[in-house]
Amino acid sequence: MNVLNRKNRKSISKLLESISKPARIQILLAIGEDEACVCHLEAVLGYRQAYISQHLMSLREANILDTRRAGRFVFYRLSDIRILELIQEAGAIAGIPEKDLQPVNRIEKYSNCGCPSCQPLIQVEPMADQFELS
Ligand SMILES: [Zn+2]
């Protein structure tokens, strides 16, 4: 039998610990295979933005989430898609129906969210000043 060394035990423990809070499980499941900004998660989940930001920061520090900045938006993405599978497997073991464990991120658009996914027209403003009229 292969006994885990202390370092490896700690790595696994730290990973599970960093995703183990109910709010973080919900946030990660909401992001799913896609990416989402804070305002979008706020619209999807109905949590306060400060509350979501706090968890996003912790998940980022634990290398569970990667970020991408685009203009005034910061998008969060799972650093490893197996994290989603891990949560879904844990949910299945806990007896939760598969349909309740699906990512909810991009299913619908939210009128109260200003992200490019919900308000795509924001991103395609005509660039009228590019053409010089002589
Ligand atoms: Zn949105």
Side-chain angles (χ1 to χ4, degrees):
M1 183 191 154
N2 204 359
V3 177
L4 283 176
N5 66 33
R6 186 180 166 80
K7 185 172 168 281
N8 289 344
R9 289 199 297 267
K10 278 199 147 184
S11 296
I12 296 170
S13 175
K14 217 180 137 192
L15 171 71
L16 292 174
E17 209 179 298
S18 62
I19 63 171
S20 70
K21 290 189 187 336
R24 292 186 192 171
I25 289 168
Q26 180 62 89
I27 288 167
L28 292 167
L29 206 50
I31 296 172
E33 297 175 10
D34 216 312
E35 58 179 13
C37 61
V38 176
C39 65
H40 191 80
L41 291 170
E42 188 184 7
V44 174
L45 303 175
Y47 298 155
R48 283 179 301 111
Q49 188 159 325
Y51 182 72
I52 298 169
S53 292
Q54 190 188 326
H55 286 298
L56 289 174
M57 200 185 297
S58 300
L59 288 165
R60 191 182 171 185
E61 280 168 9
N63 295 318
I64 302 292
L65 290 176
D66 289 334
T67 56
R68 176 177 75 86
R69 180 175 279 280
R72 63 193 173 94
F73 296 100
V74 177
F75 294 97
Y76 293 84
R77 177 183 287 276
L78 271 61
S79 62
D80 189 326
I81 202 63
R82 288 174 295 181
I83 293 162
L84 176 64
E85 296 162 10
L86 182 62
I87 291 171
Q88 289 173 324
E89 287 297 330
I93 293 165
I96 298 162
E98 202 183 319
K99 64 173 176 55
D100 294 337
L101 294 166
Q102 297 311 306
V104 290
N105 188 2
R106 295 298 161 89
I107 291 170
E108 55 184 298
K109 301 192 183 305
Y110 297 84
S111 60
N112 59 338
C113 176
C115 88
S117 170
C118 294
Q119 313 288 339
L121 292 178
I122 291 172
Q123 296 300 303
V124 286
E125 286 162 8
M127 298 172 76
D129 295 334
Q130 259 188 353
F131 303 100
E132 274 191 40
L133 302 167
S134 53

